[in-house]
Amino acid sequence: MKFTKLKLLPLALSLFALSSCNTGKPAMTIKVMSYNIQHGIDHKKAVEEKKTVVNLDPVVDIVKRYDPDVLNINEIYNSSERAEINAQVRYLGEKLGYNFYFVHAADVPSMGNGTYGGALLSKFPIVEYSTHPIPNPKGFSPRDLETRAIGQIAVKLPNDHILQVLQSHFGGISSDPDVRHQERKNAVEVMENGDVYIFGVGNYDGTNIADA
């Protein structure tokens, strides 16, 4: 199995290619894309209209331009009493024609009782899915930090292999070392329980590779 990073693009968007060798069959290439959409804020319109504007259509256009097989989205709402951010995961999945799974990381009462986190979308069938909450370290309450989670899906590839895909959004660069350690510990535990074909995507905020 070989991972090749193709390019780093703006808007927290990365595109990778994965080549997976299958005995007796030619290798296949899978494009995996990770994109932090900041719950769909349209920054161009926000500047023009001098207010926050939520618009997922530019996100759809960018994803279609790169046409990934598997897509990770960070900072997205799944449900909310506020119409402009309600059902964002379903909207992207249906617009793109992808299978989708929401990774519930946090509840946000101030945003219309919104459910917030990440999403994993795939052209391939999603055969398994789960969310692994990251517990706060001892001494930290939910009021101290935004709760985090690790999302996991298993997708069935055309060559019948199962690809395990993990996603998360670790805390910012100001995170306490205990918080960062907890995030890494949980990620390793999830990966150790997975199959051999694993791809991890998401936001790993930090100042250097040791932080991430």
Side-chain angles (χ1 to χ4, degrees):
M1 180 170 61
K2 182 174 68 175
F3 297 92
T4 306
K5 184 173 180 179
L6 299 182
K7 59 177 70 176
L8 183 64
L9 303 164
L11 297 175
L13 171 64
S14 300
L15 185 64
F16 297 81
L18 171 134
S19 296
S20 160
C21 294
N22 178 32
T23 303
K25 294 182 180 180
M28 63 180 297
T29 297
I30 301 169
K31 289 193 289 184
V32 181
M33 177 176 172
S34 184
Y35 192 177
N36 185 325
I37 68 166
Q38 297 182 312
H39 58 271
I41 294 177
D42 188 326
H43 293 278
K44 182 179 179 181
K45 284 190 175 181
V47 170
E48 294 171 349
E49 300 181 20
K50 295 182 171 56
K51 65 177 183 180
T52 300
V53 178
V54 176
N55 178 17
L56 288 176
D57 290 333
V59 174
V60 172
D61 292 341
I62 289 172
V63 173
K64 285 183 175 180
R65 185 187 312 166
Y66 293 101
D67 192 31
D69 299 302
V70 177
L71 170 66
N72 170 61
I73 296 290
N74 282 111
E75 300 192 11
I76 188 169
Y77 282 93
N78 187 51
S79 64
S80 173
E81 295 166 3
R82 294 173 55 168
E84 72 273 20
I85 58 173
N86 185 47
Q88 290 188 321
V89 179
R90 178 173 295 278
Y91 183 87
L92 288 182
E94 291 179 350
K95 282 284 187 177
L96 293 166
Y98 284 39
N99 302 297
F100 54 89
Y101 174 63
F102 172 63
V103 182
H104 183 191
D107 295 315
V108 189
S110 63
M111 296 294 282
N113 292 314
T115 53
Y116 188 67
L120 287 163
L121 300 93
S122 171
K123 289 182 178 180
F124 309 120
I126 297 175
V127 295
E128 293 180 4
Y129 52 85
S130 56
T131 296
H132 310 271
I134 299 176
N136 288 339
K138 186 178 180 180
F140 289 85
S141 72
R143 293 183 178 181
D144 296 323
L145 352 136
E146 179 182 324
T147 55
R148 308 282 174 167
I150 298 168
Q152 180 177 14
I153 60 171
V155 299
K156 188 174 183 180
L157 305 180
N159 61 8
D160 290 330
H161 275 313
I162 299 298
L163 175 69
Q164 297 281 348
V165 183
L166 306 180
Q167 79 85 241
S168 192
H169 187 169
F170 287 177
I173 59 175
S174 61
S175 289
D176 185 281
D178 289 341
V179 177
R180 182 65 76 188
H181 174 74
Q182 184 71 60
E183 292 169 335
R184 286 193 296 242
K185 178 175 178 290
N186 278 79
V188 170
E189 288 174 352
V190 173
M191 286 188 286
E192 286 178 342
N193 292 325
D195 293 334
V196 292
Y197 297 96
I198 293 180
F199 203 104
V201 290
N203 275 49
Y204 306 107
D205 298 345
T207 55
N208 55 53
I209 192 67
D211 290 335

